[in-house]
Amino acid sequence: MDKIIKTDAEWREQLSDLAFKVTRKHGTERAGTHENFPKDPGTYMCVCCGAPLFDQGAKFESGTGWPSFYEPLSPEQVGESVDRGFFMTRTEVHCARCDAHLGHVFPDGPAPTGLRYCMNGVALTFEPAD
């Protein structure tokens, strides 16, 4: 996988203001603002670089107001780092290809992994299956 590196100015040209704030500046969208993704089979992609990140089959209703998945398409597609913001320690999830901030992963998800990848909807696009 080729790494994608752009300047803030290049990302700003490509992204909406909210998508830039979330993906490039580690922001968080308000809960419940992007729960209108289709229920059909497909793949969730990085809004910045188009990398495939999550399969619709791994999506579940977490009740948090953010799209949640119990696993990524492939562990190589996402990276993790420690986030000590807001007076707590969390595990941040980012796109391995372009380093876009996607959200956080928590150990309170459903089987089979027990994980909850709590993603910002504005950081994702949906590609329906063929």
Side-chain angles (χ1 to χ4, degrees):
M1 169 180 5
D2 291 333
K3 199 76 162 162
I4 294 179
I5 300 171
K6 295 183 181 185
T7 65
D8 276 356
E10 290 171 315
W11 287 122
R12 278 189 189 279
E13 284 183 28
Q14 175 185 332
L15 302 168
S16 70
D17 289 343
L18 181 58
F20 179 81
K21 178 183 173 188
V22 168
T23 62
R24 308 321 308 178
K25 298 301 178 184
H26 303 265
T28 301
E29 69 188 0
R30 279 184 330 193
T33 57
H34 279 88
E35 273 299 305
N36 58 345
F37 284 113
K39 307 290 185 226
D40 300 325
T43 304
Y44 291 87
M45 320 288 270
C46 176
V47 72
C48 293
C49 71
L53 301 173
F54 296 95
D55 183 77
Q56 177 73 290
K59 189 173 186 294
F60 68 97
E61 181 53 56
S62 65
T64 62
W66 288 282
S68 297
F69 304 86
Y70 61 78
E71 68 183 352
L73 267 173
S74 162
E76 294 81 30
Q77 296 300 97
V78 298
E80 296 180 1
S81 60
V82 176
D83 175 358
R84 289 190 170 87
F86 299 104
F87 306 103
M88 64 181 108
T89 301
R90 301 177 291 176
T91 303
E92 177 188 342
V93 177
H94 59 268
C95 174
R97 187 173 183 207
C98 71
D99 293 326
H101 169 75
L102 303 171
H104 295 86
V105 62
F106 301 96
D108 60 0
T113 65
L115 298 174
R116 174 174 50 97
Y117 286 83
C118 189
M119 303 292 97
N120 287 284
V122 73
L124 306 172
T125 60
F126 182 77
E127 183 71 31
D130 294 332

